[in-house]
């Protein structure tokens, strides 16, 4: 799909971050947009931003929980009805969970898989018939840099993002074989400046092992956010225009991909070594904190 003008794009997770930037940039390119999110306040703001940036395009918004299969299918049918067709689906909604495998609850595991993986499945299957009917369509599924390599304390997040990767790569091959006018792209963002860390769940199981506490864990997570959401959206849309099978967003994603390719097993030892170094520093900082506090007093 070389041109987005007069196309119709549906975007999940449009209430903030990459979803909002994708909506605005698509609208500025002349693309009509259908937005969804569970964050109603953010969704209203995105809709307003889109209408201000591109008053000539049609834009709609709906509260949709992507883990709810029936809700996603109903939204897809509504988008096709209201916009008369659908050309693109951006399955962008996602959440994060930091927890050891033995420390995570089944509720947290089902929560993250329900949104990060099943949300992608629901969006893909609900919109795919409409994309085929349009004659020119594209599925854009957001995996992660953590769909390229694993990290301690991120087992559930890794599982959800690896699953998106495998699902979308298989889908792309099937669509190529069908020659139906629809394609698919897997997106692997690195650290993008969004609110995913602030909205993440942090299990007590990582306290003392990887981080001091939940707040410090979120702060550490945000240190790796080096690419703006606006730039990420531009890279993704360029990838769709070029019909790329996968898109790496950010220099950290490129580096992680290279590491996983060159050291597919050995990289794990490197990650563990670095985690141990940080834990040692964490213990030292915690032990000396009262003394430093006394000195400041």
């Amino acid at each position: 799909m070389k041109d987005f003008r007069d196309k119709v794009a549906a975007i999940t997770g449009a209430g903030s971050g990459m979803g909002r930037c994708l909506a605005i940039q698509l609208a500025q390119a002349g693309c009509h947009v259908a937005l969804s999110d569970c964050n109603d306040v953010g969704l209203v703001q995105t809709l307003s931003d889109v209408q201000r940036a591109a008053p000539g395009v049609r834009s709609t918004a709906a509260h949709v929980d992507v883990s709810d299969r029936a809700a996603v299918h109903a939204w897809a049918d509504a988008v096709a009805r209201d916009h008369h067709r659908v050309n693109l689906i951006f399955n962008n909604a996602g959440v994060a969970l930091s927890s050891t495998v033995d420390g995570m609850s089944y509720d947290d595991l089902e929560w993250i898989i329900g949104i990060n993986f099943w949300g992608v499945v629901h969006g893909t299957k609900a919109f795919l018939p409409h994309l085929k009917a349009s004659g020119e369509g594209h599925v854009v599924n957001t995996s992660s840099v953590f769909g390229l390599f694993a990290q301690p304390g991120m087992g559930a997040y890794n599982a959800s993002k690896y699953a998106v990767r495998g699902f979308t790569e298989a889908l792309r091959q099937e669509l190529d074989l069908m020659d139906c006018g629809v394609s698919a792209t897997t997106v692997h963002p690195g650290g993008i400046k969004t609110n995913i860390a602030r909205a993440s769940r942090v299990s007590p199981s990582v306290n003392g092992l990887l981080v001091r506490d939940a707040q410090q864990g979120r702060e550490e997570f945000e240190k790796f956010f080096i690419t703006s959401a606006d730039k990420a959206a531009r890279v993704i849309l360029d990838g769709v225009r070029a019909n790329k099978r996968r898109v790496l967003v950010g220099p950290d994603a490129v580096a992680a991909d290279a590491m996983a390719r060159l050291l597919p097993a050995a990289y794990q030892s490197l990650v563990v070594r670095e985690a141990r170094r940080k834990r040692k520093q964490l213990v030292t900082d915690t032990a000396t904190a009262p003394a430093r506090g006394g000195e400041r007093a």
Side-chain angles (χ1 to χ4, degrees):
M1 187 176 296
K2 302 293 186 183
D3 189 1
F4 297 125
R5 182 165 297 280
D6 289 328
K7 303 296 192 303
V8 177
I11 307 167
T12 69
S16 62
M18 291 197 307
R20 175 176 292 172
C21 291
L22 284 167
I24 293 171
Q25 291 182 27
L26 282 164
Q28 289 174 331
C31 184
H32 309 286
V33 294
L35 316 174
S36 78
D37 207 307
C38 284
N39 174 4
D40 293 328
V41 173
L43 191 60
V44 169
Q45 182 61 57
T46 300
L47 185 62
S48 175
D49 291 346
V50 165
Q51 292 171 344
R52 184 168 56 253
V57 307
R58 178 171 174 75
S59 55
T60 57
H63 177 104
V64 179
D65 177 355
V66 296
S67 68
D68 184 334
R69 183 189 308 172
V72 176
H73 278 264
W75 177 53
D77 292 341
V79 172
R81 181 183 64 249
D82 294 343
H83 290 267
H84 308 298
R85 67 183 182 284
V86 191
N87 301 98
L88 302 109
I89 172 64
F90 291 83
N91 289 306
N92 167 76
V95 292
L97 167 66
S98 180
S99 174
T100 63
V101 171
D102 64 342
M104 75 177 64
S105 70
Y106 277 103
D107 286 344
D108 279 345
L109 180 58
E110 290 171 357
W111 169 73
I112 194 170
I113 295 297
I115 296 171
N116 287 6
F117 177 60
W118 278 112
V120 169
V121 174
H122 295 156
T124 299
K125 288 185 65 63
F127 280 93
L128 198 50
H130 299 300
L131 301 188
K132 288 182 177 180
S134 75
E136 185 179 12
H138 209 108
V139 179
V140 187
N141 290 339
T142 301
S143 176
S144 167
V145 65
F146 290 113
L148 300 170
F149 80 104
Q151 185 92 346
M154 300 294 286
Y157 190 75
N158 282 133
S160 68
K161 295 303 187 177
Y162 269 83
V164 169
R165 174 186 172 183
F167 176 80
T168 311
E169 289 181 1
L171 170 67
R172 171 62 183 255
Q173 294 170 56
E174 292 168 3
L175 293 172
D176 287 347
L177 287 170
M178 292 176 188
D179 196 23
C180 59
V182 181
S183 192
T185 296
T186 311
V187 178
H188 294 279
I192 310 301
K193 296 175 183 177
T194 69
N195 66 355
I196 189 169
R198 291 187 291 276
S200 68
R201 294 185 182 181
V202 181
S203 163
S205 64
V206 299
N207 293 349
L209 180 68
L210 297 169
V211 296
R212 182 176 60 252
D213 52 36
Q215 181 59 33
Q216 192 256 342
R218 292 188 178 97
E219 291 172 357
E220 286 295 315
F221 195 14
E222 289 187 321
K223 288 180 181 178
F224 294 98
F225 294 0
I226 61 176
T227 302
S228 71
D230 187 66
K231 182 174 182 179
R234 289 199 302 273
V235 172
I236 292 168
L237 294 181
D238 285 344
V240 174
R241 290 187 183 96
N243 196 27
K244 290 186 176 180
R245 294 181 181 274
R246 67 173 186 166
V247 174
L248 302 176
V249 183
D252 47 347
V254 174
D257 179 56
M259 182 174 68
R261 286 169 179 267
L262 295 172
L263 304 168
Y267 88 82
Q268 297 179 43
S269 297
L270 297 176
V271 171
V272 169
R273 185 183 307 169
E274 177 63 13
R276 283 175 173 159
R277 185 192 67 78
K278 286 188 175 181
R279 184 173 63 180
K280 184 177 180 180
Q281 184 62 49
L282 177 65
V283 171
T284 300
D285 291 345
T286 302
T288 59
R292 287 202 297 265
E295 289 170 4
R296 285 196 299 271

